[in-house]
Amino acid sequence: MNKLPGKTVERLSEYRRTLLGCLSEGRNYVFSHDLAAMLHITAVQVRRDLMLIGYSSVLRKGYDIKELIQTIGTIIDSEEGINVAIIGIGNLGRAVTAYFRGKRSKLNMVASFDNDPQKVNKVISGIKCFHIQDMESVIKDLNIKIAILSVPADYARSTCETIVRFGIKGILNFTTIALNVPSGVYLEEYDMITSIEKVAYFVKENRIK
Amino acid sequence: MNKLPGKTVERLSEYRRTLLGCLSEGRNYVFSHDLAAMLHITAVQVRRDLMLIGYSSVLRKGYDIKELIQTIGTIIDSEEGINVAIIGIGNLGRAVTAYFRGKRSKLNMVASFDNDPQKVNKVISGIKCFHIQDMESVIKDLNIKIAILSVPADYARSTCETIVRFGIKGILNFTTIALNVPSGVYLEEYDMITSIEKVAYFVKENRIK
DNA sequence: TTAAGGTTGTTAAATTTATAACATAACTCA
DNA sequence: TGAGTTATGTTATAAATTTAACAACCTTAA
């Protein structure tokens, strides 16, 4: 399978979550335009994404939800599962774990790291917190491949370098610092302030016209 | 000024924040390629964005940082400032306020809302928390135009409808529910789980090849 | 059974976004 | 001063992403 467009991957994740919701409501089939409506996108978008992952339904009575969920899984999950850690277990870190809670998936949140002695060696939001200094051994012992970075801005760059050295292959960066990583490591950045300023800009523009 | 591309608006926000950092380090001028390097993008990207907002520096010794910060402000800020509220002041809500703290800007975080009696009427992370039931009067009295939505998924849709009715013009949605809003209201969605699953996908793909 | 309707998969076109190319003009240093 | 260097603004090109168009084919209803 060729590497999919980033946007398609994002939507696949959303499709799956939406489909799981449908399933829990007792539905078994869903039309492309239904799924699209639930996500406020177009049916063409849905069909095109499914085409890209090679999924097609023989019948024209909608997609078999269970089957589609399973197919999406084979595309975006890795078979063995991937272990994830949160670095910096402040409010944001805890918020992320809350989103994870209850979702059984191939992504296992297995550790958090902090340098606050109040937190180290405690279980926070259901996850054991280790000291930042112990990252090397914990990352290796627990085979952690993905890190969610929610440390104070001043620590962002050095922490990033460190964890890459320890074998982290994917980073979701919530700090306001732009990071860079060697090739072979995937970096996704998200900046809340930017999002809010963007909203503010378009609110302003709407008002003017 | 024509409406700018969304991506350009995002970068302008990032430019400004980076430039403020430069300023605090005592720098006064910055080349397009310097700014680009700090954000790990290309110099062309920077120059093109500045072209779109009509900014140009006469001299070739870099951009005047103060001037550029000011110019970006005239583009993405609204003169009078905009008032913002957080709806649902759990871990995520507190994380957002932490990002805001200390940044003086045209965006004023003026209220939070929750339905937990433990929180209502208290000052949380420096912001007064009101009861969800009082949204109508508070939104109107405090002239709140933007809402950051971080309520439990089950409440997302109804809360969205409500606040739009009360005059909210921009929403940053952190819930995992896709919302829809009438035209005239700007909606920006961000889904953490999707981001993490995206990272996981590209980590998997990198490993295979 | 067959025609009508509706859903799908896929190619083609349009739009959005990023990158390259390059002429212009300030700066440098002899 | 003036040739060479370098940074800039802008047009042109390419890449990514979304939307449209449409033929194929299942379903349904008479």
Side-chain angles (χ1 to χ4, degrees), chain A residues 28-79:
Chain A
N28 288 307
Y29 294 90
V30 68
F31 292 123
S32 59
H33 59 260
D34 286 335
L35 188 51
M38 287 182 253
L39 290 161
H40 308 118
I41 60 177
T42 69
V44 185
Q45 188 78 266
V46 172
R47 295 205 301 272
R48 211 175 187 302
D49 286 333
L50 299 188
M51 186 195 91
L52 290 176
I53 65 171
Y55 181 80
S56 73
S57 84
V58 187
L59 50 160
R60 322 261 117 169
K61 248 337 220 181
Y63 301 106
D64 181 313
I65 294 181
K66 276 182 193 158
E67 194 179 88
L68 183 48
I69 288 171
Q70 219 254 315
T71 303
I72 292 176
T74 67
I75 301 293
I76 66 177
D77 291 335
S78 57
E79 236 170 290

Side-chain angles (χ1 to χ4, degrees), chain B residues 89-109:
Chain B
I89 185 77
N91 283 313
L92 183 58
R94 279 182 286 236
V96 175
T97 62
Y99 278 98
F100 255 83
R101 191 183 296 275
K103 315 266 188 318
R104 58 180 158 67
S105 88
K106 292 288 185 178
L107 295 173
N108 313 307
M109 186 78 77

